[in-house]
Amino acid sequence: MSSRQTQNPALALADWHIPELLASYERFGGFNENGSSNLPSKGAINEICHDLLQLLFPGFHDHDAIPDGTLAQLTVERMLSVVRRLQEQVRKAVRIGNPDKPTGRTVPIMKRFVKAIPAVRELLKHDVEAALEGDPSVHMQEEIILSFPFLEAIAIQRLAHRLYKEGAPIIPRMMTEWAHSRTGIDIHPGASIGTHFFIDHGTGVVIGETCKIGNNVKLYHGVTLGARSFAKDGEGQLIRGTKRHPDVEDNVTIYPNSTILGGETKIGEGSTIGANVTLMHSVPPNSLVVTKEAGLHILDKNAKKTKKEIGEFSI
């Protein structure tokens, strides 16, 4: 044992196992090396997502309000910074497997993404309006922008969806998972979502990749729009790119903890899905879907119970 290890027992313990750890890198992969992969940076994407929220809602994600007369210059600076950093991450993503080979895809992707930002802001304006109209506890739009987790989740998803449609690999999913980790709302960047969208409370909502959601749709917490099963080929491998998740038409409300599954499932326009419903087939427009109340017993806690009652209804 060297004198360095003798002086630091923890270092000695670490040294014993470093060769095994390095060997595991060679056997199992899972590391990012400049010469072979040069993958996008999770830390960089996290910072970019925060800065994109600043672009979408100037002053709402800052420590202080924007000083008078500085918005134009600040927007230029922020846009240039975001575009420069995001472009580098997109470049890495499209070159995965061959990091030194130009693809010609990065600049067109970024041009269309930047062009879409004003349109995304317009959609988010309508989402805020939907929240204001759909939640009686809210008194002003600013409250929604400052405090509602769904708005962060849908803001990032709407931006990530633009990159997804342009074919940018990995980055869109990294963006929506950043929002998922902050809000508890998991919306795949592939999901297509119309205008005036509102998720009340939000925690535990899952929206799958191939979902198509219309206009004026309201979801509550715990709703899952998921896949019923995963098709496999003759060798037992998953078939990717198929329609796996349901469609929700315009003016639909889905109440808490309901689960709607399947790529062929469609919730017809104007329908209401009650709480705790599980659906794996389509319902026509203007349907009301609820579960029957069964097995529910309400007892008087202050009444004297017989041994039989206690035995039947004890917790």
Side-chain angles (χ1 to χ4, degrees):
M1 182 179 294
S2 69
S3 59
R4 183 173 70 113
Q5 292 172 329
T6 304
Q7 294 170 2
N8 190 335
L11 183 61
L13 182 62
D15 282 350
W16 291 340
H17 297 285
I18 285 175
E20 297 175 21
L21 182 59
L22 290 172
S24 79
Y25 295 153
E26 294 299 323
R27 291 198 305 273
F28 310 130
F31 63 94
N32 180 24
E33 193 171 52
N34 188 65
S36 57
S37 297
N38 197 17
L39 299 171
S41 163
K42 189 169 184 175
I45 293 299
N46 294 350
E47 293 174 359
I48 289 167
C49 285
H50 178 268
D51 293 350
L52 283 168
L53 290 176
Q54 289 183 321
L55 277 173
L56 292 173
F57 306 106
F60 284 87
H61 290 267
D62 296 276
H63 290 293
D64 297 298
I66 305 297
D68 292 344
T70 66
L71 180 59
Q73 181 60 34
L74 183 62
T75 300
V76 169
E77 294 171 359
R78 284 179 169 173
M79 181 67 83
L80 290 175
S81 174
V82 165
V83 169
R84 175 181 55 78
R85 290 177 289 140
L86 182 57
Q87 182 167 292
E88 177 60 24
Q89 299 307 311
V90 171
R91 179 178 290 110
K92 291 180 180 180
V94 299
R95 293 186 182 185
I96 288 174
N98 198 345
D100 295 324
K101 182 180 178 181
T103 65
R105 296 170 57 195
T106 302
V107 172
I109 287 172
M110 289 302 302
K111 283 183 176 179
R112 288 189 285 269
F113 174 77
V114 172
K115 183 179 179 180
I117 292 177
V120 168
R121 289 201 80 241
E122 183 175 1
L123 283 171
L124 293 172
K125 175 182 181 295
H126 297 316
D127 295 335
V128 170
E129 292 169 352
L132 188 63
E133 294 172 4
D135 188 342
S137 72
V138 179
H139 301 286
M140 62 183 69
Q141 293 188 1
E142 290 79 5
E143 180 180 356
I144 296 164
I145 301 172
L146 286 168
S147 63
F148 273 41
F150 104 91
L151 193 63
E152 279 195 20
I154 191 60
I156 293 300
Q157 194 275 344
R158 290 195 185 281
L159 289 173
H161 183 66
R162 295 313 195 274
L163 290 174
Y164 177 93
K165 288 174 62 178
E166 296 298 336
I170 298 183
I171 303 295
R173 189 67 176 269
M174 294 172 72
M175 292 170 64
T176 55
E177 290 300 337
W178 176 83
H180 179 198
S181 70
R182 287 169 60 91
T183 66
I185 300 170
D186 183 1
I187 314 176
H188 194 283
S192 176
I193 301 174
T195 187
H196 293 82
F197 181 62
F198 177 37
I199 305 176
D200 201 354
H201 305 295
T203 306
V205 165
V206 178
I207 301 174
E209 177 185 20
T210 60
C211 276
K212 293 183 179 178
I213 298 176
N215 301 324
N216 300 298
V217 170
K218 181 179 181 180
L219 309 181
Y220 283 83
H221 50 284
V223 168
T224 296
L225 303 177
R228 182 174 180 176
S229 61
F230 302 111
K232 295 183 179 180
D233 61 21
E235 298 179 353
Q237 301 297 313
L238 288 177
I239 299 174
R240 305 181 190 280
T242 59
K243 174 74 167 132
R244 307 182 305 281
H245 306 96
D247 291 345
V248 179
E249 294 187 338
D250 297 347
N251 305 307
V252 169
T253 298
I254 306 177
Y255 280 93
N257 301 314
S258 284
T259 299
I260 302 171
L261 305 177
E264 297 181 355
T265 302
K266 181 179 292 186
I267 307 303
E269 181 176 356
S271 294
T272 298
I273 311 300
N276 302 308
V277 168
T278 298
L279 266 179
M280 292 187 286
H281 58 81
S282 298
V283 298
N286 299 307
S287 296
L288 173 60
V289 183
V290 296
T291 57
K292 288 185 177 180
E293 188 175 278
L296 183 66
H297 301 277
I298 301 174
L299 304 177
D300 183 355
K301 292 171 62 176
N302 297 317
K304 185 177 181 180
K305 300 180 180 65
T306 66
K307 290 183 179 179
K308 181 179 179 181
E309 288 175 327
I310 295 173
E312 288 178 349
F313 302 117
S314 59
I315 297 175

